[in-house]
Amino acid sequence: TDIFSYWCELYPRSANAQDSLADALEARQQFKEALAARLTAVSLARSNKDTRLHIFESGLKDLRTKMVP
């Protein structure tokens, strides 16, 4: 996850960087941290009018499903 955290530092307005970080965190089962990154990705995508918003929203929905006890 270090490389993705670094990428987020280099590109703080990148929804894709946050989404990639979330993927890495989710793979390590760090769901709370992944949720924060996914929420940031969606927020950035909305702000930037990113055409991939639907992809980031889908990732957020999938993660929330995994987090339900």
Side-chain angles (χ1 to χ4, degrees):
T1 58
D2 291 342
I3 190 70
F4 296 112
S5 295
Y6 179 65
W7 190 25
C8 291
E9 288 177 31
L10 287 177
Y11 303 101
R13 293 184 179 172
S14 172
N16 192 48
Q18 290 290 330
D19 187 63
S20 295
L21 174 61
D23 289 339
L25 291 165
E26 193 172 334
R28 296 180 73 170
Q29 297 187 352
Q30 294 177 290
F31 297 122
K32 289 181 184 178
E33 295 85 351
L35 179 61
R38 292 225 185 269
L39 288 168
T40 300
V42 168
S43 177
L44 287 169
R46 286 183 180 142
S47 296
N48 297 334
K49 297 183 170 101
D50 194 314
T51 58
R52 298 167 293 179
L53 174 61
H54 66 283
I55 295 169
F56 305 134
E57 289 176 330
S58 177
L60 177 60
K61 181 180 176 185
D62 291 345
L63 176 59
R64 284 186 167 151
T65 300
K66 290 178 185 179
M67 294 178 73
V68 173

